[in-house]
Amino acid sequence: MFSNYLIGLREGLEASLVVCILIAYLVKTGRREALKPIWTGIAIAVALALGFGCALEFGSQELTFQAQEALGGSLSIVAVGLVTWMVFWMRRTARHLKSELHGRLDAAFAMGTGALVATAFLAVGREGLETALFVWASVHAASDGTPRPLIGVALGIATAVLLGWLFYRGALRINLAKFFTWTGGMLVVVAAGVLAYGVHDLQEAGWVPGLTNLAFDISDTIPPDSWYGTLLKGVLNFQPDPTVVQLVVWLLYLMPVLTLFLLPSRVSGRTGQPAAGAAK
């Protein structure tokens, strides 16, 4: 549940900050008439993300078992690729996000209402589609027959919306550079688990060999249905009996990606300014 909460929080906060920056800039520059098309674009983006998530969930239920596993594994790998790109992109551009969005808004305002709708839609829609895909893959990987993964995502998004509103009102200031570094690092760990689970899906679909070649099996020590087994699965997508291929893929992803992600913080942490109060 925690891993899904983290996904909802991290992805939701990015979208919330984008919305806050757009709205605050229009209000500050006295262009309140542009708020309606901005909210229209945001609403379309949210509807598209929800529709995409529903299509993934309900569409996959009509497939055969092997087709479901192949689809789930393939989309899990795509989701991991997207979220990896996203955490590195946000780490690099967080300090310039405000000025970049302001420039887009100025250009869109000069072109008319349709351009404003498109600007808001594109700014929020990308975050929404990435979130929908990664949430679906993560919930699929952490599914334990209960609604807890979805509850975790919903709580994370709700927290992100609240934080975004507090940023906009000026009631909360936080070092966003450190926030995105820590949550990005944790998200890389979650992504590693999703990737390993996706590979297991592909093994069950017959696309990747080695399904019966286990790296280890500690199910007796950490039963999957125990409270601590459930906790490890919910937080880290931990599996007590991974295949050799799963373990190798997990290590080959986690170690270099996490190292590369954390290294820049030591180099740029002293020179970069935190992006707190970005809506102001």
Side-chain angles (χ1 to χ4, degrees), residues 45 108 266:
R266 298 180 180 180

Side-chain angles (χ1 to χ4, degrees), residues 102-126:
H102 286 178
R104 291 183 187 177
L105 266 183
D106 288 335
F109 190 82
M111 288 187 286
T113 301
L116 286 169
V117 173
T119 298
F121 170 77
L122 293 174
V124 179
R126 180 182 62 82

Side-chain angles (χ1 to χ4, degrees), residues 197-252:
Y197 193 89
V199 169
H200 186 267
D201 279 351
L202 294 180
Q203 289 182 305
E204 290 194 325
W207 286 20
V208 176
L211 179 60
T212 59
N213 188 12
L214 300 183
F216 55 82
D217 187 351
I218 54 174
S219 300
D220 292 337
T221 305
I222 307 179
D225 56 351
S226 64
W227 69 266
Y228 46 92
T230 302
L231 179 64
L232 287 172
K233 182 176 177 62
V235 175
L236 301 174
N237 287 317
F238 172 78
Q239 183 177 336
D241 55 346
T243 65
V244 173
V245 175
Q246 278 185 279
L247 182 61
V248 169
V249 168
W250 185 81
L251 290 171
L252 288 178

Side-chain angles (χ1 to χ4, degrees), residues 81-101:
L82 286 174
V83 81
T84 304
W85 172 84
M86 178 271 297
V87 295
F88 278 97
W89 177 84
M90 196 64 184
R91 186 78 176 91
R92 185 178 66 253
T93 63
R95 300 183 187 91
H96 312 293
L97 183 61
K98 181 178 178 180
S99 58
E100 180 181 336
L101 288 173

